[in-house]
Amino acid sequence: MKLAVVGGGSTYTPELVDGFARLRDSLPVDELVLIDPAAERLELIGGLARRIFARQGHPGRVTTTADLDAGVAGADAVLVQLRVGGQAARLRDETWPLECGCVGQETTGAGGLAKALRTVPVVLDIAERVRRASPDAWIIDFTNPVGIVTRALLQAGHKAVGLCNVAIGFQRKFAKLLDLAPAEVHLDHVGLNHLTWETGVRRGGPGGEDLLPDLLAAHGDAIAADLHLPRAVLDRLGVVPSYYLRYFYAHDEVVRELGEKPSRAAEVAAMEKELLALYGDPALDEKPALLAKRGGAFYSEAAVDLAAALLGDGGPPVQVVNTRNGGTLPFLPDDAVIEVQARVRGAGGSGPVPLAVPRLDPLYAGLIAHVTAYEDLALDAALRGGRERVFKALLAHPLVGQFDLAEGLTDRLLAHNKEHLPWA
């Protein structure tokens, strides 16, 4: 089995490599190819990847290349994890929206739109080259904004699935609180990427006993603290929102906080320098503890589970993925991309098949529909360009929604992204 990682020079990559090494019985990788144009970073991370494989006795080989076409040739799956513009672009995404009193975040709101505009054309080009070199390969997208990027891939006819670590993070956290093995915890997870709720926490699998009421009663304070939301919000909702919902439920509070502290992009940039220095140590043969602070907890386990299920008989049969709606949420278009539990094993070549979702409360369905409409317009702007399309996408976003705000944000978005948007 050959796997290729586009963006293999990411500081996240050792987390992924560690998962491939530890979970090799589920996903027997013969060759892992790390692909990245950043030669210096790739050399550091490729060396560490080989040492991780060697330490854990993995027989597969790790290769590195800057040649995308050669790297993906013959691959069974291609994992895409890239950041167009790097941390410098992320810093801008987190900064200029604040000038208009809007949240500055790399996947939500105006910053998220900027990232989508930069990213979608690049990922589609990569996918076309994958299709030419390895037409049967699955594309697993980790690249944010995952929902919009995955929708672009699916609409272009690619064999693609989007993946996020929010659900597996909740599963692991809830399992620990409930003193259960993670495999015993099934989430009723529903929404869009970075806009999801856990409406049930079931023992054993779909249809199992719902432990969510007891979980909230016993551990609501701890869960609320992790989400930076008041406990009363969880009690009133009776569900667990992802932490990205705080940008909607406490927008103005978040904007004030972001204006008073260093940006997450600045923190990550400093952390990346330290990580790269560690990666260059020839004695290091495991992922360093610092990597846990970089984000992406359980990212490797989620990737291995999905790849194993797509490519063979491994991995859990039901997993949370980003995939085509196809009537699962009847208030959305069929071609919308939703983030839900899906049956992966046994899906044949067609990809994951979402499980049925009970009728959603309008409190959640309304916001999902609203953000999906924004995503429609965001994808149109990413594919066709144009100031007016950018403006309409911003005007449609529930965190913007005002004419003057959308105008100001459009001007700033285009000014800060000209190098990445030829039409601008």
Side-chain angles (χ1 to χ4, degrees):
M1 181 185 297
K2 176 179 177 179
L3 298 186
V5 180
V6 179
S10 167
T11 53
Y12 271 136
T13 299
E15 166 70 29
L16 189 61
V17 172
D18 176 74
F20 291 151
R22 285 186 296 102
L23 304 172
R24 57 185 176 274
D25 290 341
S26 297
L27 189 68
V29 178
D30 299 303
E31 182 181 3
L32 176 63
V33 185
L34 306 181
I35 306 167
D36 205 293
E40 187 174 346
R41 288 171 66 117
L42 190 60
E43 181 71 20
L44 289 176
I45 291 166
L48 175 56
R50 295 184 190 99
R51 296 193 297 272
I52 291 173
F53 267 33
R55 177 190 174 110
Q56 300 199 31
H58 195 295
R61 66 191 182 104
V62 177
T63 60
T64 60
T65 183
D67 186 333
L68 175 68
D69 299 302
V72 301
D76 296 286
V78 177
L79 291 76
V80 182
Q81 51 164 35
L82 52 84
R83 184 185 297 279
V84 179
Q87 293 297 334
R90 177 179 181 170
L91 178 61
R92 292 193 292 270
D93 291 345
E94 294 180 355
T95 303
W96 54 263
L98 295 174
E99 297 171 4
C100 296
C102 293
V103 67
Q105 211 276 332
E106 65 161 345
T107 64
T108 301
L113 175 60
K115 194 171 196 300
L117 297 177
R118 294 192 303 268
T119 304
V120 165
V122 174
V123 172
L124 287 177
D125 177 67
I126 290 168
E128 287 297 333
R129 293 163 72 177
V130 170
R131 179 151 53 190
R132 290 196 295 269
S134 301
D136 293 326
W138 279 99
I139 296 174
I140 299 175
D141 177 55
F142 296 114
T143 299
N144 281 319
V146 166
I148 294 173
V149 172
T150 302
R151 188 170 184 179
L153 289 167
L154 291 174
Q155 287 187 352
H158 297 289
K159 289 177 62 176
V161 185
L163 190 61
C164 180
N165 71 319
V166 167
I168 196 171
F170 274 135
Q171 182 204 40
R172 298 299 200 267
K173 185 177 299 181
F174 295 164
K176 186 175 182 180
L177 292 173
L178 294 166
D179 196 24
L180 295 172
E184 295 181 81
V185 176
H186 172 91
L187 302 178
D188 292 344
H189 178 101
V190 63
L192 311 176
N193 180 242
H194 291 185
L195 193 87
T196 53
W197 296 263
E198 312 308 324
T199 60
V201 178
R202 300 189 181 277
R203 187 196 301 270
E209 177 190 5
D210 188 6
L211 305 176
L212 181 56
D214 292 340
L215 179 69
L216 288 176
H219 303 287
D221 288 341
I223 296 169
D226 282 346
L227 298 173
H228 300 284
L229 288 171
R231 165 69 185 269
V233 171
L234 302 191
D235 291 338
R236 294 176 72 178
L237 295 178
V239 304
V240 178
S242 83
Y243 50 84
Y244 287 94
L245 264 298
R246 187 166 184 259
Y247 297 120
F248 295 83
Y249 292 162
H251 176 271
D252 294 350
E253 180 182 348
V254 172
V255 168
R256 287 193 297 271
E257 291 174 0
L258 292 174
E260 296 170 356
K261 64 179 184 180
S263 71
R264 175 62 177 164
E267 293 175 356
V268 169
M271 198 179 304
E272 286 199 332
K273 288 184 180 179
E274 191 174 347
L275 283 169
L276 290 170
L278 292 171
Y279 295 167
D281 179 357
L284 183 68
D285 58 4
E286 60 185 343
K287 63 178 183 180
L290 178 62
L291 187 54
K293 297 180 181 179
R294 173 68 178 82
F298 308 112
Y299 157 63
S300 60
E301 284 90 338
V304 169
D305 284 350
L306 180 55
L310 289 171
L311 301 177
D313 296 323
V318 175
Q319 301 177 34
V320 173
V321 296
N322 284 262
T323 193
R324 188 174 184 272
N325 177 41
T328 307
L329 300 182
F331 54 88
L332 297 184
D334 283 349
D335 66 347
V337 165
I338 59 175
E339 186 171 294
V340 293
Q341 293 277 7
R343 194 165 299 281
V344 181
R345 184 179 299 153
S350 62
V353 177
L355 301 187
V357 175
R359 182 181 180 275
L360 278 181
D361 188 302
L363 181 62
Y364 314 120
L367 186 53
I368 291 170
H370 194 162
V371 175
T372 297
Y374 150 75
E375 290 188 348
D376 288 346
L377 295 167
L379 181 54
D380 186 46
L383 293 174
R384 297 202 289 163
R387 186 188 188 283
E388 191 66 11
R389 293 188 181 93
V390 174
F391 167 77
K392 287 179 178 178
L394 286 167
L395 187 62
H397 200 291
L399 296 183
V400 181
Q402 297 180 60
F403 184 88
D404 289 343
L405 267 183
E407 286 282 14
L409 288 166
T410 299
D411 290 339
R412 286 166 173 80
L413 186 155
L414 297 179
H416 285 288
N417 287 276
K418 282 185 177 180
E419 64 184 297
H420 301 293
L421 305 176
W423 50 266

